Amino acid sequence: MRPYAFAVAAVLLSTLLLLRLLERHGFKGWCAYALTVPLIGWSHLASLCVLAAHLALVVRARRAGDRIAGWAWTAAALIGLCLVLPMALAGSGQSGQIAWNNPTLQDLQTYPEQLFGSWAVAVPVLVLAVVGACLVREYVLPFALWTVLPPLLTFATAAQLHLFLPRYLLFTVPAWVLLAAAALGRAGGRLNGEGPRALRTGGLVLGLVAVAGLTLAAQPGLRTARADIAGEPDFRGAAAYLLAHQKKGDALAYGGQFSERRALDYELRDAATRPKDVLVHRTPQELGSYGAQECPRPASCLATTKRLWLVTTAFGDDPYGDMPRANAKAIRAGFRLADTKALHHVRVLLFTRSAAEHPRDDSAADRAVHAS
């Protein structure tokens, strides 16, 4: 499950509590705020950037004469961060899982489009937000630290932390929307002043038109986000085929470069019975990683297997492509191809144990796979 919605919710809850506390202090309120800080960090570490905006709000309150805000916020924030620290330290050992994320300047340039789903939504929201920032000048710094600092900071540290991704920064969207709402609200307020009835209702109409326009502009992006990813293998179909044709005692192996094991684990998560992942030595859960550790002696792991399913995204003449050589060697030596099912960018192959008196004919198996 992706944590981004939880991160947005935690950031909004924490910010709302802080604003209420700066209006009226309370011990219980500060305790509640302290608990929201780890909620932010546990949802996503990048979301902790919002604490810079919170600090700006506290400094503003202190300059206005609030002598409690500074000490109370510092204590609450430190307590909350202490609860996040163990998870952060544990996660640092798995930084290799996101080491692929090395953004370029092109990624920074397309960041607004990726954040809002399309330029058709990003441009009007950003323009309105700039207007709103000019109208709420006393809160410009907190809003800037909430909206601009996170992408710039994560981009600057991307080589070390690899945290610059638009979906990691979705918690900044509410701040942009609040600024845009401030612009529309001020314009609506002016139109709702004294004057003809048509002019007084102008604010409401303006707001409705803005919301409707953004909703329509967002539709293509929403449809794209909900559609299947281009080239995504039909793992759901592969799982359905396995469940429909499996027999008791069947085993399962994987080949390809599309995280087949993780995909099938997800698709088969609710299955009452499923083929055994016979070539796994240590699971991803045991390793604390996305990938599993393969069996060091595949022939021994396959010794009692009579029927073996192979789910692979490798297409071509070789049915064993893109899989560990030791696994492929063990399957070649002990099994013969009995059936194959080709789906969208994924194949499901059934192997049965070779009889001692019937040597393995690899060329015939390859021809069968290629013909399918």
Side-chain angles (χ1 to χ4, degrees):
M1 180 181 293
R2 298 286 186 169
Y4 314 123
F6 295 103
V8 173
V11 165
L12 288 174
L13 175 62
S14 184
T15 304
L16 179 61
L17 279 175
L18 178 62
L19 291 172
R20 292 291 181 262
L21 287 168
L22 293 179
E23 294 175 356
R24 183 178 179 181
H25 295 290
F27 178 75
K28 292 182 179 180
W30 283 110
C31 290
Y33 175 81
L35 292 176
T36 65
V37 174
L39 288 180
I40 295 173
W42 292 338
S43 298
H44 204 287
L45 289 175
S47 303
L48 289 172
C49 290
V50 78
L51 294 182
H54 290 186
L55 176 59
L57 290 171
V58 171
V59 170
R60 180 177 179 277
R62 183 175 176 82
R63 289 178 176 175
D66 190 333
R67 298 181 179 180
I68 300 176
W71 294 105
W73 180 84
T74 301
L78 288 177
I79 291 172
L81 290 173
C82 286
L83 296 176
V84 178
L85 186 60
M87 187 200 74
L89 292 175
S92 64
Q94 302 176 23
S95 58
Q97 301 298 333
I98 55 174
W100 55 266
N101 181 27
N102 293 301
T104 64
L105 285 176
Q106 178 66 25
D107 296 307
L108 188 62
Q109 292 171 2
T110 60
Y111 166 72
E113 178 188 16
Q114 298 298 318
L115 184 67
F116 290 97
S118 67
W119 284 113
V121 176
V123 171
V125 171
L126 294 179
V127 169
L128 286 172
V130 171
V131 175
C134 296
L135 298 175
V136 291
R137 296 179 182 177
E138 64 272 20
Y139 288 102
V140 167
L141 181 58
F143 272 115
L145 293 175
W146 188 352
T147 57
V148 179
L149 176 65
L152 293 181
L153 181 61
T154 53
F155 183 82
T157 59
Q160 295 77 33
L161 301 179
H162 311 288
L163 290 177
F164 180 82
L165 271 178
R167 61 177 178 266
Y168 292 178
L169 302 169
L170 283 173
F171 69 93
T172 64
V173 171
W176 290 113
V177 173
L178 285 171
L179 285 172
L184 289 174
R186 183 64 62 88
R190 292 180 181 277
L191 291 175
N192 278 328
E194 295 182 1
R197 181 177 179 181
L199 188 59
R200 293 199 305 270
T201 59
L204 178 61
V205 173
L206 178 63
L208 292 175
V209 169
V211 172
L214 287 175
T215 301
L216 290 175
Q219 292 308 304
L222 291 174
R223 286 193 292 269
T224 300
R226 292 169 179 168
D228 292 336
I229 300 174
E232 183 76 8
D234 184 13
F235 289 119
R236 179 171 297 179
Y241 185 82
L242 274 175
L243 293 178
H245 296 84
Q246 68 174 332
K247 291 184 179 180
K248 185 177 180 180
D250 283 0
L252 182 60
Y254 300 97
Q257 301 291 331
F258 276 85
S259 302
E260 294 77 12
R261 175 177 279 112
R262 190 161 73 245
L264 264 292
D265 279 345
Y266 177 79
E267 297 296 346
L268 297 171
R269 64 193 182 281
D270 296 326
T273 59
R274 55 183 289 185
K276 179 182 178 181
D277 188 355
V278 70
L279 290 177
V280 66
H281 181 60
R282 296 186 66 191
T283 65
Q285 292 81 1
E286 292 172 336
L287 295 173
S289 173
Y290 287 127
Q293 181 180 345
E294 299 287 337
C295 175
R297 293 182 296 277
S300 298
C301 293
L302 291 167
T304 60
T305 300
K306 294 182 179 180
R307 291 186 5 135
L308 175 68
W309 294 95
L310 173 63
V311 176
T312 178
T313 55
F315 273 77
D317 294 338
D318 185 7
Y320 314 100
D322 292 331
M323 67 184 305
R325 291 185 178 180
N327 292 0
K329 182 178 179 181
I331 296 174
R332 285 178 182 273
F335 296 85
R336 64 181 180 84
L337 181 65
D339 192 17
T340 180
K341 176 68 173 179
L343 299 167
H344 184 65
H345 291 296
V346 63
R347 290 181 295 176
V348 182
L349 299 95
L350 174 62
F351 292 86
T352 56
R353 176 64 65 176
S354 298
E357 62 272 16
H358 295 93
R360 172 84 169 104
D361 184 357
D362 280 331
S363 61
D366 289 346
R367 288 197 300 272
V369 172
H370 185 62
S372 64

